[in-house]
Amino acid sequence: MTIPIDPVQLTKELVRMNTINPPGHEESCARHLGALLENAGFRIRYHSYGETRVNLVASIGGTSSKPPLCLTGHIDTVPLGAAAWTMDPFAGDTADGKLYGRGTSDMKCGVAALTVAALNSARFLHSTAGVTLVITAGEETGCEGAFHLQRDGVLERAGAVVVAEPTSNYPFVGHKGALWLRAKTRGVTAHGSMPEKGVNAVYKAARAVSQLEAFRFENPPHALMGQATLNVGTIRGGLNINSVPDEAEITIDVRSVPTVDHANLIQTLALQLGPDVELEPLMDLEPVYTDASDPWMQTVFEVMTPLLGERPQSRVATYFTDAAALNLAYRNPPTVILGPGEPQMAHQTDEYCTMQRVGVAVEAYEQIIRRWCSA
Ligand SMILES: [Zn+2]
């Protein structure tokens, strides 16, 4: 008889390992979780894509007839920020039902909860569809770890995905996609006193910015997510005040909805901006969306109704998740974003999670696992 692991205690252990990304150093967290899971009979695979950058894939059970359920979370965190913390970000201190530290809500408490739920379920999972845990590094810098897993063919299959990102245990049915682009313009430099001898790349970039400000999406809005958005985030160009700039660059952040095709959108933008503007994708994450009428999503809603004290409504998260990368490999199975962290605490100074919610998430994940593996 093994002693059950306390998910709050496991969260503290993970928070005490500094995995601020950059640089990440996720290996200690991945190995700590891997050791626990291996002890419980999981097949463990560590997948590195750089020094101390380690993803963990842990599986148990599995049959040929039904694919496993995937539960996923990331173990890197964002930096501490400029403002001073009043709590120690790496001590795992608690007060008033809250556990403080960088990454508590986003999303070490979610990783701890899904790990404990999997450990508690392990002995029931042999000869069932089974469970695959995908614990990723490098999520905060554009789902790097998940994309490495996808590109290297490490992910096999999954019939449904639970993403344990912070939702205060409310099940979200999806999130917008993100398409980040760099737009470059080129010119010919000349002395600033003779601009007629040069071609000014900043003027070209300025025209592009004005066109982007006026850009309107032609696709129909999505019923739940509304319309896509576009924002010019940065502009940079020129070497000094007394030269005609021969290079300028802007970056564009598109948050897309399921009715936007990314490849088409890039073509449309390229056409509107014209041949003077070179467009290059920096990050390409598809939206994630499962209609609430999907039978598995209905099961998740049923599980959550007594735990939340209300029947969940169709809602979407404001942030993007690793599911955008994983679902390329898994071919878009139904996906829910559901985790015990507080979404408004993500990336904040004095980040905390609510300890009571961590136990509730364990209960929810265990029920979702049981229903998947008994059907
Ligand atoms: Zn996160």
Side-chain angles (χ1 to χ4, degrees):
M1 179 77 194
T2 47
I3 303 160
I5 291 173
D6 171 17
V8 171
Q9 179 57 35
L10 181 55
T11 309
K12 289 183 192 173
E13 290 165 15
L14 297 176
V15 167
R16 286 171 188 148
M17 298 173 192
N18 177 342
T19 54
I20 287 178
N21 176 20
H25 295 315
E26 296 90 343
E27 182 164 16
S28 49
C29 269
R31 297 216 177 254
H32 184 54
L33 296 166
L36 292 172
L37 290 158
E38 195 162 22
N39 265 334
F42 282 76
R43 303 181 294 278
I44 299 301
R45 181 156 180 197
Y46 295 107
H47 173 268
S48 327
Y49 65 92
E51 208 175 325
T52 72
R53 309 307 301 273
V54 178
N55 295 304
L56 166 67
V57 180
S59 319
I60 197 160
T63 60
S64 55
S65 51
K66 186 179 181 183
L69 173 71
C70 170
L71 294 104
T72 185
H74 64 85
I75 42 177
D76 61 320
T77 73
V78 290
L80 297 180
W85 283 52
T86 59
M87 305 297 284
D88 183 334
F90 302 111
D93 289 331
T94 58
D96 301 326
K98 296 165 179 164
L99 166 60
Y100 287 87
R102 175 50 90 219
T104 45
S105 264
D106 186 14
M107 56 170 289
K108 287 177 172 176
C109 74
V111 168
L114 68 84
T115 302
V116 170
L119 291 170
N120 293 348
S121 310
R123 64 183 185 282
F124 307 114
L125 296 180
H126 300 286
S127 340
T128 71
V131 163
T132 301
L133 305 188
V134 179
I135 310 291
T136 62
E139 189 271 348
E140 295 288 4
T141 43
C143 308
E144 286 174 81
F147 273 117
H148 277 284
L149 287 170
Q150 180 256 328
R151 285 192 212 108
D152 292 353
V154 179
L155 303 164
E156 287 166 358
R157 52 183 201 147
V161 178
V162 178
V163 187
E165 288 275 7
T167 70
S168 305
N169 287 334
Y170 200 95
F172 289 121
V173 299
H175 57 73
K176 283 185 173 178
L179 176 63
W180 290 357
L181 302 166
R182 174 162 45 214
K184 220 171 187 169
T185 57
R186 294 181 200 276
V188 177
T189 191
H191 195 278
S193 64
M194 296 171 280
E196 70 282 359
K197 295 218 179 334
V199 178
N200 192 317
V202 165
Y203 293 160
K204 291 183 182 177
R207 282 193 288 274
V209 170
S210 296
Q211 281 170 313
L212 290 165
E213 187 183 8
F215 182 80
R216 294 292 170 263
F217 289 90
E218 298 284 321
N219 56 283
H222 183 259
L224 203 54
M225 298 189 194
Q227 188 51 282
T229 60
L230 182 152
N231 180 59
V232 174
T234 65
I235 180 161
R236 193 187 58 76
L239 280 175
N240 52 28
I241 192 168
N242 55 344
S243 299
V244 175
D246 60 355
E247 226 174 57
E249 191 183 287
I250 59 181
T251 55
I252 307 162
D253 177 359
V254 175
R255 299 303 170 109
S256 64
V257 298
T259 47
V260 173
D261 180 281
H262 285 194
N264 277 347
L265 177 63
I266 294 173
Q267 274 185 2
T268 307
L269 287 172
L271 212 63
Q272 291 201 8
L273 296 173
D276 271 351
V277 180
E278 301 162 29
L279 276 181
E280 179 200 352
L282 301 174
M283 190 180 72
D284 187 347
L285 292 176
E286 293 286 338
V288 170
Y289 178 67
T290 305
D291 199 89
S293 64
D294 173 87
W296 180 72
M297 193 60 83
Q298 284 295 313
T299 303
V300 172
F301 280 15
E302 268 165 40
V303 166
M304 296 316 295
T305 297
L307 296 174
L308 294 171
E310 58 174 310
R311 176 95 188 161
Q313 307 288 310
S314 272
R315 288 189 196 157
V316 289
T318 53
Y319 45 74
F320 57 76
T321 75
D322 272 340
L326 301 183
N327 285 354
L328 288 175
Y330 292 148
R331 294 156 198 256
N332 297 312
T335 299
V336 71
I337 300 109
L338 168 64
E342 307 298 331
Q344 77 279 7
M345 274 294 122
H347 304 194
Q348 294 291 312
T349 308
D350 288 329
E351 178 180 351
Y352 65 79
C353 67
T354 309
M355 289 190 279
Q356 179 265 345
R357 286 206 215 280
V358 188
V360 174
V362 173
E363 172 67 29
Y365 297 154
E366 283 186 35
Q367 285 194 43
I368 292 168
I369 291 170
R370 209 172 306 143
R371 291 191 189 212
W372 184 262
C373 291
S374 62

